[in-house]
């Protein structure tokens, strides 16, 4: 392919192509003849949708809803309590930036840091290993968050024989389990799903075939450019109009049916799926990724006696009364439905987890003016 043609092929923000896709989506929704609720399960998708105002070009009959696709948002308060307790017990706790202000039942790692605990933000698990090498006098605990995309990096470090003073507090989550939670909710009306392309790079699009067959709902794997998302929506409504509960991949430049097999082998060699509580949602079957017993020497929960009693405060949850993050993550409510949104709950002083993370829907909507659906303000 000539250089110029290759550039055109890779031009993902072409307004002409975007309008053509939007018109095609409108025709499909008209053909279905009723309101069509679909869900994307990824905070990165919501960022792109809000940033580029994609809802403004979609037909009124299409409801584009964000699901539980923010791993920081679904990290449960008691899991944060464990990290806070370890920090206050003297460990050097390292984690990604979004996790710093995530509230536990009463306190966050930022609170512990303010009290003098050794809490450090890292950009990768490898950087946490470097800190362990630099500070052999400290026990360095990496609070590992994120879905399978980041869990693979954590697994790679575990397999590389890190320093003896390094351990992992895993709060990693598993994306397919999140989709099961939504689909099994008796209140859900979602008719089709857009799956996260970066997670599918690891697991492959074929992993969604059993889900589509079981639920009778189509799934489309999408990338993160505006045209990627519009193409995915078009593919999804086409499948819905045709009554096909199939899986389609509109991110073939990165995702294959099998996924990254070496990465999967590393992931499942180190981690195992277990049932765990997701913040605001409930217990999620196979939703958490725990270290396997063979890696107990790296498991902070096995290596240390973590006493969360001093940092837990069930009464403090009363302060978050009125927060509806759980309903928002299940697609049952929008941030604008929450009485706290943009008032007592803002990025500078978040009440709920969805306002903390850059991938949280409340944080995204607040960043873009609180009304990313521009149709509602007449623009």
């Amino acid at each position: 392919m000539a250089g110029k043609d290759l550039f055109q092929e890779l031009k993902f923000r072409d307004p002409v192509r975007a309008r053509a896709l939007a018109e095609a989506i409108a025709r499909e929704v008209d053909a279905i003849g009723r309101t069509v609720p679909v869900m994307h399960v990824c905070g990165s998708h919501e960022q792109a949708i809000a940033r580029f105002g994609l809802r403004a070009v979609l037909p009124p009959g299409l409801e584009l809803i964000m699901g539980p696709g923010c791993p920081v948002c679904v990290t449960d308060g008691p899991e944060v309590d464990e990290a806070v307790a370890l920090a206050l017990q003297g460990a050097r706790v390292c984690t990604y930036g979004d996790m710093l202000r995530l509230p536990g039942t009463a306190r966050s790692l930022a609170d512990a840091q303010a009290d003098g605990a050794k809490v450090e933000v890292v950009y990768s698990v490898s950087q946490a290993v470097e800190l362990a090498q630099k500070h052999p006098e400290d026990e360095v605990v990496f609070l590992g968050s994120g879905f399978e995309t980041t869990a693979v990096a954590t697994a790679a470090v575990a397999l590389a024989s890190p320093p003896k003073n390094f351990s992992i507090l895993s709060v990693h989550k598993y994306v397919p389990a999140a989709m099961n939670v939504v689909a099994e909710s008796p209140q859900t009306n979602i008719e089709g799903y857009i799956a996260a392309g970066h997670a599918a790079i690891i697991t492959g699009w074929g992993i969604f075939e059993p889900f589509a067959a079981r639920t009778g709902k189509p799934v489309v794997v999408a990338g993160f450019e505006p045209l990627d998302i519009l193409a995915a929506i078009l593919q999804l409504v086409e499948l819905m109009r045709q009554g096909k509960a199939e899986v389609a991949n509109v991110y073939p430049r990165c995702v294959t049916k099998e996924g990254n097999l070496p990465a999967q082998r590393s992931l499942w060699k180190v981690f195992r799926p277990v049932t765990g509580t997701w913040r605001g949602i409930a217990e999620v079957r196979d939703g958490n990724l725990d270290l396997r017993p063979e890696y107990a020497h790296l498991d902070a929960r096995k290596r240390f006696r973590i006493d969360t009693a001093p940092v837990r405060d069930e009464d403090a949850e009363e302060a978050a009364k009125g927060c509806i993050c759980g309903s928002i993550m299940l697609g049952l409510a929008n941030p604008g439905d929450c009485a706290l949104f943009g008032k007592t709950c803002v990025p500078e002083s978040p009440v709920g987890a969805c306002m903390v993370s850059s991938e949280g829907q409340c944080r995204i909507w607040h960043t873009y003016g609180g009304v990313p659906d521009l149709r509602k303000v007449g623009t």
Side-chain angles (χ1 to χ4, degrees):
M1 180 178 291
K4 184 178 179 180
D5 291 339
L6 178 63
F7 175 79
Q8 292 297 328
E9 188 69 23
L10 296 177
K11 190 176 180 182
F12 301 118
R13 300 177 185 180
D14 185 330
V16 174
R17 292 184 179 182
R19 280 193 292 273
L21 286 168
E23 290 168 3
I25 292 168
R27 288 194 294 272
E28 291 292 334
V29 172
D30 283 346
I32 293 173
R34 54 181 170 75
T35 298
V36 177
V38 301
M39 173 176 282
H40 68 83
V41 194
C42 180
S44 296
H45 277 152
E46 184 64 25
Q47 286 176 331
I49 291 164
R51 177 186 175 194
F52 294 102
L54 296 187
R55 286 190 177 87
V57 302
L58 296 175
L62 183 78
E63 290 185 35
L64 183 57
I65 301 164
M66 177 175 169
C70 167
V72 176
C73 300
V74 298
T75 300
D76 202 21
E79 292 178 316
V80 178
D81 288 343
E82 292 179 304
V84 172
L86 280 168
L88 295 177
Q89 288 171 211
R92 186 182 292 269
V93 176
C94 308
T95 192
Y96 300 121
D98 277 358
M99 296 294 288
L100 198 66
R101 294 193 304 136
L102 185 65
T105 57
R107 309 180 72 188
S108 67
L109 280 171
D111 294 329
Q113 188 181 49
D115 288 343
K118 296 175 182 176
V119 177
E120 301 199 30
V121 172
V122 293
Y123 295 99
S124 68
V125 61
S126 297
Q127 194 176 357
V129 171
E130 291 170 4
L131 284 169
Q133 293 166 335
K134 184 178 178 181
H135 298 281
E137 74 282 6
D138 286 340
E139 288 289 346
V140 174
V141 178
F142 174 65
L143 175 60
S145 67
F147 291 119
E148 45 268 43
T149 43
T150 53
V152 164
T154 305
V157 162
L159 291 169
S161 302
K164 292 186 182 301
N165 63 327
F166 175 85
S167 58
I168 299 164
L169 182 63
S170 175
V171 294
H172 286 297
K173 312 294 182 188
Y174 191 46
V175 166
M179 295 174 63
N180 287 330
V181 168
V182 174
E184 293 172 1
S185 169
Q187 298 169 283
T188 192
N189 65 345
I190 303 300
E191 297 185 23
Y193 297 83
I194 298 172
H198 46 26
I201 290 173
I202 303 297
T203 56
W205 62 261
I207 196 172
F208 299 111
E209 287 186 324
F211 173 87
R214 186 175 66 256
T215 63
K217 313 293 184 186
V219 178
V220 178
V221 176
F224 301 93
E225 289 290 341
L227 293 188
D228 284 329
I229 296 170
L230 290 173
I233 295 171
L234 175 58
Q235 179 72 77
L236 193 61
V237 292
E238 284 179 349
L239 289 171
M240 293 167 64
R241 179 181 57 76
Q242 296 165 3
K244 295 180 178 178
E246 297 179 355
V247 181
N249 174 28
V250 297
Y251 199 29
R253 65 184 184 276
C254 294
V255 175
T256 64
K257 183 173 184 178
E258 297 77 18
N260 186 328
L261 296 177
Q264 291 174 36
R265 284 193 287 272
S266 296
L267 178 69
W268 298 123
K269 186 172 183 179
V270 173
F271 290 103
R272 59 178 178 173
V274 298
T275 297
T277 302
W278 289 28
R279 185 190 296 254
I281 295 178
E283 284 198 338
V284 177
R285 186 175 63 250
D286 295 335
N288 285 14
L289 296 176
D290 266 9
L291 289 163
R292 290 186 177 277
E294 302 94 293
Y295 295 89
H297 60 290
L298 292 174
D299 190 339
R301 294 187 177 95
K302 302 290 193 305
R303 280 178 53 159
F304 306 107
R305 180 180 179 277
I306 306 176
D307 183 7
T308 59
V311 302
R312 293 194 69 167
D313 185 354
E314 302 297 342
D315 292 338
E317 293 181 343
E318 188 67 17
K321 189 175 183 180
C323 171
I324 61 168
C325 276
S327 295
I328 291 171
M329 288 186 283
L330 286 174
L332 303 176
N334 283 322
D337 298 325
C338 181
L340 309 182
F341 178 72
K343 299 170 185 171
T344 56
C345 185
V346 294
E348 295 76 19
S349 57
V351 175
C354 292
M355 189 61 87
V356 174
S357 170
S358 60
E359 292 192 2
Q361 188 176 6
C362 293
R363 174 73 171 271
I364 295 169
W365 281 39
H366 191 274
T367 300
Y368 291 95
V371 190
D373 185 349
L374 298 179
R375 293 171 304 196
K376 294 182 179 178
V377 292
T379 56

